[in-house]
Every structure is written in C-alpha cells, then in structure tokens.
Amino acid sequence: MSQVSPPEGDLTAQSRAVLALAVRLAREAGEIQRSRYEGEHEIETKSAAIDLVTEVDTQCEALIVSGIRTERPDDAILAEEGGDHANQAAAWRWIIDPLDGTVNYAHGFPRFCVSIGVEYRGERQVGVVYDPLLDECFEAVRNAGAFLGQRRLEVSRTPKLAEALVATGFAYDVHRSDVDNVQNFGHMLKAARGLRRDGSAALDLCYVAAGRLDAYWEFKLHPWDVAAGILIVEEAGGVVTNSLAGPVPVSGDDILSTNGAIHAEVLAQLNQ
Ligand code: IPD
Ligand code: CA
Ligand code: CA
C-alpha cells in the first residue's frame, strides 16, 4: 500500500522524534562499549581472519534494534550483525553499525563509535554517530545542519591538498585482493600534509564534517559504515561523491568526502 508523504512540518517533527530516539539508543549502546572497553572480549571472525565481531557488537545491536522495535515497530531496519527487520512498505529505514571500529575495540585502541543513519523514503534524513570515550555525539537532520553538542559543524577551509590532513581505510579482503587501495595510499602519502588510517569510517566522516580532517576516502564499505556520516558531512557543507566524482553508490562502497575546496585535487590523486 503506498503511503502519502506527510506535510513538511510533520516531516520535521517526525525527524526530530527519530533523532531523539537515535541519540538515546546510540548513547545507551555507547555506554555498553565504554563500560566493557577494558575487559576481555569474546572475539569471532566473519568474512576474513581480520574481520572481527565481539560480544559487544552483538549486544549493542540487540539493544538498538529492540529499542526501535519497541518505539517504532513499523520501521524497517538494516543492521550489520543481522538484526534486520525488512518491511518494504515502511517509510523510515534505520541503518545501524552497532560498533564501528571493531578491530580497534578488540585491541583496546580508543577509536570506535556507534553509527545510526535513518532514511525517509530512501533519502538520508537523520544521522547520529556517538563516540563513547570522548562523549562526542555527532548528529544531523537533512536541511537542518550538523551538530556536535550545541556546536554547528562546518568543514575546514583548507585550500589545497598539500596543507590537508587526510584519512582512508582498507577493506577486510586486503590480504587477498589486488583492489586494495594501497597504491592510492602511496600517492596520497606523498601529496597531503598528513595521512591517517584510524579504523572507524563513521568517525572519519564526522571528522571531515568537524574540520578535523580535510578529506577521507575508502572502498568496499557497507551501507551501515556511511549511512549517518554522509548526511553529517553534507550538512556541514562538505562534498561527498564516489572516487570518479559521481554519486556514492547505494552500497556506500566507494566514497570520497572532502571540504569541497580540495575535492578536485583528491580526485586527481585517486585517478592517476
Ligand atoms: C570498519 C571500519 C574501518 C574500515 C572498514 C570497516 P567495522 O567497520 O569502519 O575503519 O576501514 O572498511 O569495515 O567492521 O569496524 O564495523
Ligand atoms: Ca563499520
Ligand atoms: Ca561494525
């Protein structure tokens, strides 16, 4: 059954309610991560020996999915560890990475987060990324800006790549695939002021939004890695495309986000 779109005011009100729930659930999941951070973890592997999942990923996802099912039972859910709730007729779809930065988490490296993106009729509408160790909650609603607490986020004004701090990441098939991003890494290392591989795609995107990074690119990501972060970058005035300057694929697996000013220079580096 097709649904009629709500008037704009209603969508704003609904988005605020969705944002409030996403923030609450991200903070609750983040508290699990923070409290368990220094303990021993049950670690299993997924697609490769370096692709990990811990009991904390699973617990965080269960908490978030159960919170959504309780408050908004008709919404669709796509969640990394399989807690999906398919509903083709749903207007709202939650896309969840319960713990982005699992390898960091498993090693006690303090860079990980909860990422929750919510689409309205297939369009990114709400994004929340919560870093529990720094107690930083990045959030955005379409056309209403991106915020870190009370602070409105703006991308950097760094004018050229030679003055830029850039980040990237590598997929879990890096040990066995030739499409491994290593050549790009080499090129960028020689062109940018600094290059980082910090291990959390969602935080990398939020750091572009906050002006802490000037650019971030990666391949072979999944929808849950980028669902919140793309909206947060765009609402902070950044530019997000794929590595050929086209739209980011629905899968999210080819992404370049920058402050806009250095976008063309980064594209050139990725396409030599
Ligand atoms: C990973 C992280 C990492 C990125 C990988 C992702 P996960 O997500 O975001 O930074 O390089 O491509 O898969 O597995 O920790 O949720
Ligand atoms: Ca992830
Ligand atoms: Ca994850």
Side-chain angles (χ1 to χ4, degrees), residues 61-74:
E61 182 165 307
L63 180 146
I64 295 166
V65 168
S66 140
I68 298 165
R69 297 295 300 272
T70 303
E71 300 287 330
R72 301 178 60 93
D74 295 334

Side-chain angles (χ1 to χ4, degrees), residues 158 161 163-167 192-196 212-215 262:
T158 303
L161 184 54
E163 296 172 6
L165 186 60
V166 179
R193 175 178 284 168
L195 181 53
R196 303 287 180 262
R212 297 171 179 176
L213 289 170
D214 304 298
I262 64 167

Side-chain angles (χ1 to χ4, degrees), residues 84-100:
D84 297 16
H85 174 58
N87 176 4
Q88 298 300 335
W92 294 87
R93 183 167 78 133
W94 297 66
I95 304 174
I96 300 155
D97 192 334
L99 202 178
D100 184 52

